[in-house]
Amino acid sequence: MKRIDYISQLNEKCTGCMACEDACPTYCVSSIIEKDGFRYSVIDTLKCISCGKCYSVCPLTHQEKHTSEQHLFAAYSSDPIVRNNGSSGGVFEILAKHFIEQGYHVCGAAFDDTTLKHRVIDSQSELKPLFKSKYIQSNTEGIFNQVLSLLKTGEKVFFCGTPCQVSAMLNSTPKALRSNIFTADIICHGVPSQKVFDDYIKTLEKKHDGKISDFSFRIKDNRYKHAHGYSYKVTKNGKASIVNGIYTNSSFYNAFKKYLIFRNGCYDCQYTTLQRVSDITLADFWGIEKYDFKGNVDTGISMVITNTEKGYDTFASIQKSIVSKEFPVQYGIDSNHCLTHSTIKPKNRDVIIEELATNGYEQVATKYFGSSLVHKM
């Protein structure tokens, strides 16, 4: 099979990173949103020169996984404000600030209104939108070329994303430039589409009769005593108010937690393995209370796995800003299923995706997602 044929026939296996679009020198690769709501690559074979660059950057065809000795830590920021800024222990913020101080650019996922995109920033004042988990697939079109352009001019970049996004970034980076990029991946359960999230936002705007903005997953609000709170702003007649809730009050968040609306390939992920592609892996340390570790679990504990010598040295360099303790790597396997296993595909997932395309979000949410669309102000 020709390389171009392989890429064009990925279909639902495609991760949607769109690195192939960035890599194509003749601009014959573009993206479309299919009826399942996800973005896929489309190739204009008349423009294709069979250079194979799309094949070489695809995270499904090339996976450079590390085999160095790994170290696993429980960690959290010693600054309570920083810890509160993050979804777990605030380690990403500490890393990002460290790299900016070292002259790096930082690339991560941030909301543009309610659309999630990867962006590149180079100052601490721009960091906040990159904090916290966002349970949507971020749009990375153009980001690989943007990062590559920086690296080619001698700049340094800290790149954070899902494992397949990190793999695509590294595949897009010539080995001669790898020393100037540091990567962090997250332990990913799977990604819903931006399309479904947009439809959810529309239902909220209809119910509230106002504009929805500033949606935030994983807020730390003591009233809920739960890791999965959320909030968003409603603006109506020039007045803004904040809505808070726990995930069971949000149809979209509840669907995410039930694994009902992930990209099809996420249920057979090639990156759910200890052999990681990044320098450092970040996650929540679920179940840390079972182990000998002092710290308020309710305010979040990060799991950090160093996968390379560079990752280990970098983590060692931020110790003055965190509280951490090393544990056996097996503890990470035991506490976070998706470190080594794909999310199990619910039996009704395909039916739900089909009905979302034909019946619309509100009807499907009422039928399957098990929570009200109405939120109390």
Side-chain angles (χ1 to χ4, degrees), residues 2-4 6-7 10 15 17 19-20 23 51-66 163-173 175 178 270-271 275-278:
K2 293 181 180 179
R3 291 180 173 185
I4 187 67
Y6 179 87
I7 296 297
L10 280 175
T15 67
C17 70
C20 54
C51 66
K53 289 188 176 180
C54 58
Y55 185 88
S56 66
V57 299
C58 177
L60 295 178
T61 64
H62 293 81
Q63 304 166 34
E64 297 184 26
K65 296 175 180 177
H66 300 296
C164 56
Q165 290 172 336
V166 171
S167 183
M169 185 69 258
L170 292 173
N171 290 345
S172 302
T173 307
K175 285 184 169 58
R178 294 279 184 88
Q270 297 183 22
Y271 290 90
Q275 285 71 52
R276 313 301 289 183
V277 294
S278 63

Side-chain angles (χ1 to χ4, degrees), residues 343-357:
T343 294
I344 297 172
K345 186 176 181 178
K347 292 180 180 179
N348 58 349
R349 181 268 178 190
D350 291 345
V351 172
I352 289 172
I353 296 297
E354 182 68 30
E355 290 190 22
L356 280 168

